[in-house]
Amino acid sequence: MKTILNTPYSFKNLELKNRIVMPPMCQYSVTKEDGTPTDWHYVHYASRAVGGTGLIIVEMTNVEPDGRISANCLGLWDDAQIPAYKRLVDVIHDNGSKAAIQIAHAGRKATHIETPVSASETPVEEPTKFGPVRHPRALSTEEAEEMIIKYQETARRAVEAGFDTIEIHGAHGYLIHQFHSPGINKRDDKYGQDLALFGVEVIKAVKAVIPDDMPLLFRISAREYMDGGYGIDHALEMGRRYKEAGVDIFDISTGGEAPPGQDKPGNYPGYQVSFARRFKEELDVPVIAVGILDEPAVAEMTLQDNSADLVAVGRGMLNDPYWAIHAVKALRDDVEVPKQYERGIR
């Protein structure tokens, strides 16, 4: 059976050998706490490239030291860090995959500093595995404008490192999400009067330093789960603004902004796919679907029914670095296996 999962996909200058994406998943493994990738990251990403993944998105990489979730998270705030990322890109390319990087700022979800920054002073409502509740301070208008330049500089460094595409993190309750969420953003300046403005300006700043033919990805939470949180219509409104600013492909997730209220996120295969489909249909953009798509048949059906253009498999790839090869083989399609492993992968 010829699968869509194993069909090439291209957009602008990004050419993928299949529709399988490794989504960004924090490893909390920067042992020196300097933001720079280690041998753990090298092996982690190289193995998924060997395993046949079409696009590998390197985990949340932060634009300043205080923008990390933890002190063990990645960052790309200094030109001296570029060679370590180039090493990652090179090994991903050498094994047949394309490399993306997710750039971000944790905002009020930074746990390794006493007073994180956010759109407003609205705190996260419960402690995390990294520590107690943090009460943020609101960025001033001038500081928000300076933060946009930090995103831009991180994007410039990512281009210099050789990444094929960049994903801006606007989901899961991190800084951009904090600005476009009506339940979190309580500002009265221009970034409070226009909830999309901060994200729009980040997008435009990033677009200014990446090649014209490089697609720009954007991850967004299509709904919130906290009581009074926004729904899909608000997310689509933000998405339209972000598309106009220059986003090419949306990576659709949900939640992450705060502890869930009465409505809880799904815990079944494909529970977020309907949101991806809404973005694809209403914004007329390519989308990446994610959310318990580990079963090959579920991932394939998501593509077959045109709910998404690409599928991201997170936990499945943590469990099996060769998920892509095994999934295509399970669907009885032909797949190229590294010659070194031909005797073992049948």
Side-chain angles (χ1 to χ4, degrees):
M1 181 181 86
K2 186 61 183 174
T3 61
I4 298 180
L5 197 67
N6 198 34
T7 300
Y9 180 79
S10 63
F11 191 96
K12 291 188 173 180
N13 72 343
L14 181 66
E15 297 182 357
L16 308 179
K17 64 184 179 182
N18 58 42
R19 307 294 184 101
I20 301 168
V21 177
M22 178 184 181
M25 293 176 285
C26 292
Q27 297 295 292
Y28 308 109
S29 296
V30 182
T31 52
K32 293 183 178 179
E33 301 185 356
D34 62 356
T36 304
T38 66
D39 283 348
W40 172 270
H41 298 94
Y42 184 84
V43 173
H44 175 64
Y45 292 112
S47 60
R48 274 69 186 180
V50 171
T53 308
L55 178 65
I56 292 173
I57 307 179
V58 171
E59 68 204 74
M60 181 174 170
T61 302
N62 300 282
V63 303
E64 66 169 1
D66 287 352
R68 295 171 289 173
I69 302 170
S70 77
N72 300 116
C73 291
L74 289 180
L76 187 48
W77 56 74
D78 191 304
D79 286 3
Q81 296 167 315
I82 294 173
Y85 285 94
K86 187 177 187 305
R87 182 173 180 244
L88 288 185
V89 171
D90 288 346
V91 74
I92 290 170
H93 286 168
D94 288 346
N95 288 286
S97 298
K98 295 299 174 70
I101 186 170
Q102 184 187 73
I103 63 173
H105 191 292
R108 69 179 192 160
K109 294 180 77 173
T111 61
H112 69 295
I113 56 174
E114 187 62 32
T115 305
V117 299
S118 182
S120 298
E121 296 179 359
T122 313
V124 179
E125 297 173 13
E126 68 178 4
T128 72
K129 60 183 178 181
F130 299 110
V133 171
R134 298 294 188 196
H135 292 270
R137 69 172 182 85
L139 288 164
S140 70
T141 304
E142 293 75 18
E143 287 175 323
E145 292 169 343
E146 291 168 359
M147 190 68 72
I148 290 163
I149 300 303
K150 293 179 181 180
Y151 278 89
Q152 183 180 58
E153 283 293 284
T154 295
R156 174 188 60 79
R157 296 183 186 105
V159 171
E160 291 186 24
F163 283 96
D164 301 292
T165 185
I166 292 170
E167 177 172 278
I168 297 171
H169 201 346
H172 299 166
Y174 298 117
L175 189 60
I176 293 176
H177 184 156
Q178 291 162 30
F179 271 88
H180 73 221
S181 170
I184 300 172
N185 185 344
K186 305 301 182 183
R187 305 173 69 92
D188 57 11
D189 68 351
K190 62 182 180 178
Y191 296 116
Q193 295 162 8
D194 180 353
L195 296 181
L197 183 60
F198 182 78
V200 164
E201 291 187 350
V202 169
I203 292 161
K204 289 181 177 179
V206 169
K207 291 286 283 189
V209 296
I210 67 175
D212 291 341
D213 57 354
M214 176 186 283
L216 180 61
L217 282 58
F218 190 97
R219 194 167 216 193
I220 190 168
S221 289
R223 64 156 298 180
E224 295 179 329
Y225 295 105
M226 65 182 183
D227 289 337
Y230 70 70
I232 181 65
D233 290 337
H234 178 75
L236 286 167
E237 180 184 349
M238 297 297 100
R240 289 187 185 94
R241 294 286 305 283
Y242 296 156
K243 177 186 174 183
E244 291 170 359
V247 171
D248 295 295
I249 299 172
F250 282 93
D251 184 355
I252 308 300
S253 188
T254 60
E257 74 291 340
Q262 291 187 332
D263 291 334
K264 304 294 191 293
N267 190 28
Y268 52 87
Y271 74 98
Q272 296 178 141
V273 169
S274 64
F275 299 107
R277 188 182 185 99
R278 285 282 302 274
F279 266 76
K280 181 175 174 60
E281 291 178 344
E282 297 194 28
L283 270 60
D284 190 27
V285 290
V287 299
I288 304 169
V290 67
I292 315 184
L293 301 178
D294 301 358
E295 289 298 323
V298 175
E300 174 68 14
M301 185 54 65
T302 300
L303 299 170
Q304 289 277 1
D305 71 4
N306 205 33
S307 291
D309 302 271
L310 301 164
V311 290
V313 177
R315 291 178 180 84
M317 285 197 192
L318 291 180
N319 179 61
D320 178 7
Y322 310 105
W323 185 92
I325 290 174
H326 294 151
V328 173
K329 289 180 73 69
L331 294 170
R332 300 181 181 180
D333 196 357
D334 295 329
V335 64
E336 184 177 348
V337 175
K339 64 180 181 181
Q340 298 92 333
Y341 292 168
E342 285 175 351
R343 289 174 295 175
I345 301 177
R346 300 182 175 87

